């Protein structure tokens, strides 16, 4: 997982279903990963972009929080990879 921290489930890097490259991150039900990013500047617009998909009709959420503003998120739907962006 590198700099990403797991919470809630047994998230793991798998060698299947990657959008590009050789591996993907699989996150189990009710779980997720998080990462602390430092060095953000006040009054600056940032964009977090991730390619994601869900399986079996599940839903996911990409969330940015604890940055000094309101929590921002995007819902992840569909079993094909798609770019999701969260502006904050």
């Amino acid at each position: 997982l590198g700099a990403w921290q797991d919470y809630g489930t047994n998230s793991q890097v798998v060698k299947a279903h990657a959008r590009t490259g050789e591996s993907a991150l699989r996150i189990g039900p009710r779980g997720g990963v998080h990462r602390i990013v430092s060095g953000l500047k006040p009054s600056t617009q940032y964009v977090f972009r991730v390619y994601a998909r869900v399986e079996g009709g599940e839903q996911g959420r990409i969330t940015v929080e604890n940055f000094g503003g309101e929590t921002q998120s995007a819902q992840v739907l569909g079993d094909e990879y798609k770019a999701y962006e969260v502006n904050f």
Side-chain angles (χ1 to χ4, degrees), residues 12-27 53 55 81:
Q12 57 187 318
V13 176
V14 295
K15 298 286 184 184
H17 308 292
R19 178 181 165 268
T20 62
E22 298 177 0
S23 57
L25 178 62
R26 175 170 285 165
I27 301 171
R53 70 184 188 94
E55 295 179 338
Y81 278 106

Side-chain angles (χ1 to χ4, degrees), residues 65-76:
E65 59 188 4
N66 300 325
F67 60 90
E70 290 185 33
T71 297
Q72 302 294 316
S73 65
Q75 189 171 15
V76 177

Side-chain angles (χ1 to χ4, degrees), residues 16-77:
H17 308 292
R19 178 181 165 268
T20 62
E22 298 177 0
S23 57
L25 178 62
R26 175 170 285 165
I27 301 171
R30 295 182 193 81
V33 294
H34 72 274
R35 181 176 184 167
I36 296 173
V37 178
S38 60
L40 300 178
K41 298 178 182 178
S43 302
T44 303
Q45 183 73 18
Y46 292 95
V47 178
F48 176 66
R49 179 183 293 172
V50 62
Y51 285 87
R53 70 184 188 94
V54 292
E55 295 179 338
E58 295 290 330
Q59 297 179 22
R61 185 160 298 279
I62 309 298
T63 304
V64 177
E65 59 188 4
N66 300 325
F67 60 90
E70 290 185 33
T71 297
Q72 302 294 316
S73 65
Q75 189 171 15
V76 177
L77 299 169

